[in-house]
Amino acid sequence: MRRLIRSVSRKVASAGAGNPPEGEAVVLPLGDVSYHQGLDVIANPVLLVRQPGMRVVYANPAAEASFALSRKAMLELSLGDLFGASEELDSMIDTVLSRQFDARRQDVVLHPPLQEPMHVHVVIGALEANPDTVLVEMLPNEQKVRSDREERILDLTSANKELIRNLAHEIKNPLGGIRGAAQLLEFELPDRSLREYTQVIIKESDRLQTLVDRLLEPHRHPHIVSDLNIHEVLERVRSVVLAEFPTGLDIVRDYDASLPDLRGDMEQLIQAVLNIVHNAAQALAERIARGDAQIVLRTRVARQVTIAKRLFKLALDLHVIDNGPGIPEDIRERIFYPLVSGRDGGSGLGLTLAQTFVQQHEGLIECESRPGCTDFRILLPLH
Ligand SMILES: Nc1ncnc2c1ncn2[C@@H]1O[C@H](COP(=O)(O)OP(=O)(O)O)[C@@H](O)[C@H]1O
Ligand SMILES: [Mg+2]
């Protein structure tokens, strides 16, 4: 940003008056936009505003798009017309104009007239050559982006849960009838070789029954809450997975031993973490064969975390990181949805269940993945 401000200053300076003598302020030609091509290509909205009255003297195309106003229309306006009154913004601009700082940056909520409030990260920069003009750049507010994403995940999972429950009941009811009828039919069949067909019906009904039972499972078991140590959970998971993959897989413990106990349902948390670690181990098949597969179980304390709009002073920050091939691109956005699987024979329920269990603990699972590094992060509030 600093570099940008300097380069803009230089551009503005040389545009305004050929080569001005060192230190002499240059007046920015009001409304003449041809000098700011460097800013035109910036993807974030950028404005140059000028005292007195904080009038807009330049707006880049991203700003035009974000306010749905032409550049010409914006040049008639002041910053207040665009953003509404904002003490925060005013005080940032004051400190920059008075040269206490070259640039200020801050998350702010702006209330433009007749528009939804804008949650943005604003950068105010000084222009060396134009002491009465500042540069205003608007960037996405990371915190807001994150909480919007979490909210979407939560909405989606609760809609999912409802859908699954209803669907599972709808399937379950007729299944018993189908299986029973196939069995009766089998007794009546004159030719034994025809049983092959009734057996397909019976076997497939049984498979569906198991699937439906698993779909209904998280809503069945009572929540049994106790004080528990997360490392006990991780040790259990570790030994289960190592029993299945005894060679070629290293499960590294990177524990913060000072972590306080957690209130929760031990069985649910074991199941949630096991599903994630198990996926990682399955994704590591090739490396396990080569002998250099690694899963890291990392625990840390996180402070002041917001989960589903609630602020928690303290949370457990648990990572399961593997050095496998990464989550297939085409399902990356959907892995927490039920029945989404990248494996032959996968049920696509492992992560849905894990997310449900963790959410029952007011927590959240997130995931970042690229080839060679997949990181599942479980946040659990420590009350
Ligand atoms: N650590 C991981 N590395 C690569 N892919 C993964 C990882 N974890 C999950 N996946 C992908 O997400 C999919 C969904 O996982 P899950 O919900 O447990 O269902 P299932 O394991 O039955 O397929 C997996 O099939 C796999 O393609
Ligand atoms: Mg799985």
Side-chain angles (χ1 to χ4, degrees):
M1 188 65 217
R2 241 185 131 80
R3 219 174 55 226
L4 170 71
I5 294 166
R6 301 240 182 261
S7 78
V8 170
S9 310
R10 230 173 289 127
K11 235 180 213 137
V12 170
S14 61
N19 275 329
E22 199 64 29
E24 190 173 308
V26 176
V27 178
L28 184 72
L30 251 185
D32 191 335
V33 294
S34 57
Y35 305 112
H36 313 305
Q37 277 160 2
L39 296 177
D40 276 358
V41 296
I42 291 176
N44 298 311
V46 176
L47 303 170
L48 296 182
V49 291
R50 184 170 161 201
Q51 288 274 53
M54 282 295 122
R55 306 211 73 81
V56 176
V57 291
Y58 163 82
N60 76 345
E64 291 179 274
S66 109
F67 287 98
L69 282 174
S70 74
R71 192 173 273 180
K72 200 154 163 268
M74 287 175 113
L75 295 181
E76 315 260 301
L77 301 173
S78 70
L79 209 57
D81 296 332
L82 282 174
F83 293 138
S86 165
E87 274 178 27
E88 282 168 312
L89 206 57
D90 289 349
S91 102
M92 285 166 79
I93 291 174
D94 282 350
T95 52
V96 169
L97 277 176
S98 63
R99 288 294 188 274
Q100 290 171 41
F101 295 99
D102 271 0
R104 298 303 276 163
R105 46 170 64 233
Q106 194 176 320
D107 286 339
V108 291
V109 184
L110 301 170
H111 299 272
L114 307 175
Q115 276 190 45
E116 295 279 300
M118 293 168 70
H119 296 255
V120 282
H121 185 81
V122 169
V123 182
I124 307 286
L127 297 181
E128 272 168 57
N130 292 75
D132 55 358
T133 305
V134 291
L135 178 143
V136 181
E137 183 177 15
M138 280 164 281
L139 299 133
N141 175 338
E142 291 306 328
Q143 182 75 29
K144 174 78 173 120
V145 169
R146 205 184 106 108
S147 79
D148 281 354
R149 196 177 61 208
E150 282 178 9
E151 205 172 317
R152 271 203 310 279
I153 294 178
L154 282 176
D155 282 354
L156 197 93
T157 35
S158 76
N160 269 340
K161 261 187 259 172
E162 196 58 30
L163 177 77
I164 294 172
R165 214 181 351 227
N166 294 338
L167 198 63
H169 277 296
E170 283 305 314
I171 297 172
K172 202 174 162 64
N173 294 336
L175 262 185
I178 293 172
R179 191 186 196 282
Q183 255 174 332
L184 289 176
L185 187 63
E186 199 167 88
F187 291 129
E188 302 293 327
L189 285 178
D191 183 347
R192 270 189 81 86
S193 69
L194 291 174
R195 286 192 178 185
E196 195 186 316
Y197 301 114
T198 47
Q199 277 302 312
V200 170
I201 301 176
I202 291 168
K203 286 218 181 83
E204 288 300 288
S205 306
D206 287 347
R207 193 179 63 79
L208 274 177
Q209 183 72 48
T210 316
L211 179 69
V212 165
D213 284 344
R214 285 191 62 195
L215 283 170
L216 289 169
E217 202 165 0
H219 315 286
R220 273 208 192 133
H221 293 297
H223 205 49
I224 305 161
V225 176
S226 63
D227 282 336
L228 59 93
N229 185 314
I230 192 64
H231 300 127
E232 215 177 299
V233 171
L234 296 179
E235 285 300 297
R236 281 270 290 281
V237 170
R238 187 171 180 273
S239 54
V240 170
V241 175
L242 282 179
E244 191 181 338
F245 303 90
T247 53
L249 173 63
D250 188 12
I251 303 187
V252 180
R253 306 167 170 110
D254 178 3
Y255 298 163
D256 176 349
S258 70
L259 264 169
D261 274 359
L262 181 76
R263 270 200 85 67
D265 181 325
M266 182 92 167
E267 291 306 317
Q268 281 195 351
L269 290 177
I270 290 177
Q271 191 65 53
V273 179
L274 180 62
N275 288 359
I276 291 171
V277 178
H278 200 240
N279 279 344
Q282 283 173 327
L284 282 166
E286 255 178 50
R287 277 189 180 264
I288 289 178
R290 282 213 307 267
D292 62 354
Q294 191 186 67
I295 298 175
V296 179
L297 305 177
R298 176 176 301 154
T299 57
R300 294 288 184 270
V301 171
R303 284 170 212 285
Q304 305 293 342
V305 279
T306 330
I307 303 171
K309 287 205 181 142
R310 278 184 63 189
L311 181 69
F312 295 95
K313 273 202 194 119
L314 217 56
L316 161 67
D317 190 6
L318 165 64
H319 291 259
V320 176
I321 306 163
D322 72 70
N323 63 349
I327 296 167
E329 192 98 47
D330 55 331
I331 59 166
R332 204 167 284 176
E333 299 297 317
R334 299 178 291 129
I335 47 169
F336 291 104
Y337 294 12
L339 311 181
V340 171
S341 174
R343 294 186 295 116
D344 282 344
S347 70
L349 290 177
L351 290 176
T352 311
L353 281 180
Q355 185 71 275
T356 304
F357 289 150
V358 168
Q359 280 178 8
Q360 283 177 3
H361 288 80
E362 297 177 286
L364 186 84
I365 310 180
E366 296 179 316
C367 170
E368 273 178 32
S369 177
R370 56 188 155 81
C373 181
T374 298
D375 182 351
F376 277 86
R377 179 189 199 205
I378 304 181
L379 276 171
L380 287 169
L382 294 164
H383 288 283

